[in-house]
Amino acid sequence: MCESTIPTAYCSLCPRHCSVNRSYGEMGFCRSLDLPKVSLVSTHMWEEPPISGTNGSGTVFFANCNLRCVFCQNHDISDSGYGLEIPIERLAEIFLEQQAKGLNNLNLVSPTQYGIQVREALILAKNNGLTLPVVYNTNGYEFVDFLQSLEGLVDVYLPDFKYMSCDLAGEYSGASDYPEKVKLAILEMKRQQPKDVFVDGLLKKGIIVRHLVLPNHYKDSLQILDWIVENLGTEAYVSLLNQYTPMHKAKEIPALSRRLTTFEYQKVTTHFLDIGLKNGFIQKRSSATSDYTPIFDLTGVANCKNRCDEEENSI
Ligand code: SF4
């Protein structure tokens, strides 16, 4: 049986180290309080093929974010914080409900700001029969000490590597130490899951590093690929996202106010091959649309029994 831990009073869950007491209503950069806030529970068909497969990935989207990038396509939940606060017990139930749907995995999307609560819920769900592979789908701005506490609970890491440049990280995410922190985080993820294990084309254990190529900054992307080869090797799985669309505050930032050109994306995919990377995923240009952004409407979040009671009462 897995053992539970007690959450810390002063939040130091991520590299922001805000030291606020979330239990007493104090908010740090991510504006999250003690209870996990969830925006949508859904079946996602548009993750990388070994994650979504044909049955889909069991996504749980968390509200708020410890990075809040100016171009975030999920800004309704990451910046505006739309979601419903639920007890840890309900979160564990949601995990088991995703498993009951026959999906390929449990996909925790932007869980970092609720890391301790998510960990507690995973332990509870595993003690109650959760066996689905657990995917930790993160922006990569993680505190290594916390990641170490997830060892044995997470099967697949799906981290972003957003910027190599401290200047870009500071300008677009207010986190100039992001490059340093994401490198340490990815190395810890690789330590926990050193081998990528596929069964029938689905990733059961391992790591896929995601990178969203930004307009006017493809040279930063080249440096990220170089780091991956030097530190994870040419067998590493890399997902190069071509779906950048100016959204949120990016519309007002000249360098980010247009879509990516074919030239820019090809520069990155050509470099991918030139430096010997063998495994990866590329996206068609038609992916650059807001159509792929889920509708965050709290589906699946509330306790079914309570919801059904409410519906009966309203008839
Ligand atoms: S999780 Fe939120 S409150 Fe905690 S350190 Fe990170 S940004 Fe600050």
Side-chain angles (χ1 to χ4, degrees), residues 11-20 22 27-32 65-66 112-114:
C11 192
S12 203
L13 249 181
C14 85
R16 300 260 182 212
H17 295 301
C18 300
S19 278
V20 291
R22 289 166 49 170
M27 289 185 187
F29 182 91
C30 68
R31 304 178 188 138
S32 304
C65 181
N66 68 333
T112 311
Q113 61 282 5
Y114 302 110

Side-chain angles (χ1 to χ4, degrees), residues 44 59 87 131 285:
H44 207 294
T59 40
T131 55
R285 189 168 158 78

Side-chain angles (χ1 to χ4, degrees), residues 200-259:
D200 298 332
L202 296 172
L203 185 60
K204 300 292 183 181
K205 286 188 179 295
I207 172 169
I208 299 175
V209 179
R210 276 180 171 166
H211 173 64
L212 174 69
V213 185
L214 295 174
N216 291 300
H217 299 305
Y218 78 84
K219 289 181 182 166
D220 200 63
S221 305
L222 307 186
Q223 290 183 41
I224 288 172
L225 293 181
D226 289 342
W227 184 90
I228 290 172
V229 166
E230 283 163 24
N231 292 276
L232 304 183
T234 53
E235 305 288 330
Y237 279 80
V238 182
S239 179
L240 287 175
L241 304 179
N242 187 16
Q243 67 190 43
Y244 179 82
T245 312
M247 294 179 103
H248 195 35
K249 298 171 186 164
K251 292 179 194 162
E252 315 302 325
I253 299 172
L256 296 182
S257 61
R258 65 162 171 83
R259 284 169 55 183

Side-chain angles (χ1 to χ4, degrees), residues 165-172 176:
S165 154
C166 300
D167 290 343
L168 292 183
E171 192 176 345
Y172 299 153
S176 53

